[in-house]
Amino acid sequence: MTGATRGIGHAIAIRFAREGANVAFCGRSRSEAMVAVEAELLALGVKAKGYACDVADYTQAQAFVKEVLADFGQVDILVNNAGITDDAAVKRMTEAQMDRVMHTNLGSVFCMTKAIQPAMWRQGHGSIVNIGSVVGIAGNYNQANYAASKAGIIGFSKSCAKEFAARNIRVNVVCPGFIETEMTAEVPKELMDTWCSRIPMKRPGTADEVAQACVFLASDMCPYITSVVLPICGGMEDA
Ligand code: NDP
């Protein structure tokens, strides 16, 4: 999986390990966080390894998957979680901001899918879960670049689902809404309350709730589900 050194990706890696899956994951560098996550996963009794890889770089993604296949033998599940934001109103957004977010969020999904697809094709099964966002469905102020990248992930995933279905490779998208992370811990309580009042379930989601949906879609519990876009958003109207 991509981007498991913190946040939602970290929760996904832990949840998969708790379910008994071996976990190969990456971040952009072999950081202290990566080493700590690796140790946390190993302590859960599974095989685990962190790799330094910028997944938006085609050559690095190819090398990452090659190494994982050499170390782990096979890859049954790919979770494309790595993503960034670089917010601005369109009036002020630079071309560089647009390119960087599109390239990292959508480009990385292309790079990783290209890299893993031959192995999944050969083995005749696989499950790819891509992390989108409700913003990719509904749009958002100051996030046109991010929304476009996440909407692109939906179109890309649905196309892959069609192309890969005959080979028993499923491709689905999980779209988190407002999720509590280290970042939201710093948001003032009044602002949090305002945001939550707009959510029918009146609370943010947790990273583990996103992770549980990923495990379900990746697992044998849903062998006939592909091309699905699953919002995890507490019932927000416009998702
Ligand atoms: P964080 O910023 O907390 O974590 C991002 C992760 O991605 C880190 O592990 C980071 O690793 C990795 N990463 C970023 N860029 C790259 C890259 N080019 N190559 C490899 N790894 C990379 O993000 P969140 O946990 O908040 O979000 C995770 C995903 O969920 C994203 O796709 C995001 O768009 C999506 N999402 C999040 C929501 C939220 O409320 N948080 C809501 C909706 C969707 P490192 O820094 O070590 O390189």
Side-chain angles (χ1 to χ4, degrees):
M1 69 168 294
T2 70
T5 57
R6 61 175 182 275
I8 293 173
H10 173 243
I12 294 172
I14 296 294
R15 176 54 72 169
F16 270 95
R18 291 216 168 103
E19 298 294 331
N22 295 330
V23 182
F25 68 97
C26 77
R28 281 162 291 193
S29 63
R30 188 153 178 84
S31 57
E32 276 178 31
M34 179 179 285
V35 174
V37 173
E38 206 175 66
E40 210 180 343
L41 293 168
L42 289 169
L44 291 169
V46 298
K47 181 169 173 172
K49 189 170 172 187
Y51 299 78
C53 171
D54 178 348
V55 285
D57 181 303
Y58 189 87
T59 311
Q60 287 189 41
Q62 291 280 332
F64 170 39
V65 169
K66 199 171 165 200
E67 259 191 271
V68 172
L69 286 169
D71 293 343
F72 286 74
Q74 71 183 81
V75 174
D76 303 310
I77 298 161
L78 165 65
V79 180
N80 282 310
N81 162 80
I84 59 164
T85 52
D86 193 349
D87 298 352
V90 173
K91 264 184 176 180
R92 278 179 294 278
M93 189 179 288
T94 63
E95 190 181 7
Q97 276 177 299
M98 184 73 196
D99 287 350
R100 195 167 84 88
V101 171
M102 289 299 285
H103 191 62
T104 303
N105 296 359
L106 179 56
S108 66
V109 175
F110 169 71
C111 292
M112 286 301 295
T113 304
K114 279 286 285 185
I116 204 69
Q117 177 263 336
M120 286 189 171
W121 203 266
R122 270 196 304 276
Q123 69 200 18
H125 71 269
S127 179
I128 301 176
V129 179
N130 293 324
I131 307 299
S133 166
V134 293
V135 167
I137 301 170
N140 201 15
Y141 296 99
N142 302 321
Q143 289 198 310
N145 51 357
Y146 182 72
S149 71
K150 294 298 189 180
I153 286 176
I154 293 174
F156 182 79
S157 304
K158 283 178 165 281
S159 304
C160 291
K162 286 189 164 64
E163 289 185 24
F164 302 169
R167 203 64 189 149
N168 197 27
I169 302 165
R170 299 182 296 108
V171 187
N172 293 294
V173 186
V174 164
C175 289
F178 176 35
I179 304 300
E180 210 164 24
T181 57
E182 292 91 335
M183 239 163 45
T184 55
E186 286 159 29
V187 175
K189 187 179 174 310
E190 302 76 57
L191 189 53
M192 278 290 272
D193 289 347
T194 310
W195 287 348
C196 289
S197 69
R198 299 189 190 123
I199 303 171
M201 292 192 80
K202 303 294 177 208
R203 66 168 180 87
T206 65
D208 187 54
E209 285 167 336
V210 177
Q212 289 178 52
C214 295
V215 167
F216 170 69
L217 286 175
S219 76
D220 294 340
M221 284 187 289
C222 57
Y224 201 51
I225 295 182
T226 194
S227 201
V228 153
V229 177
L230 181 60
I232 313 289
C233 63
M236 269 196 286
E237 281 285 303
D238 53 0

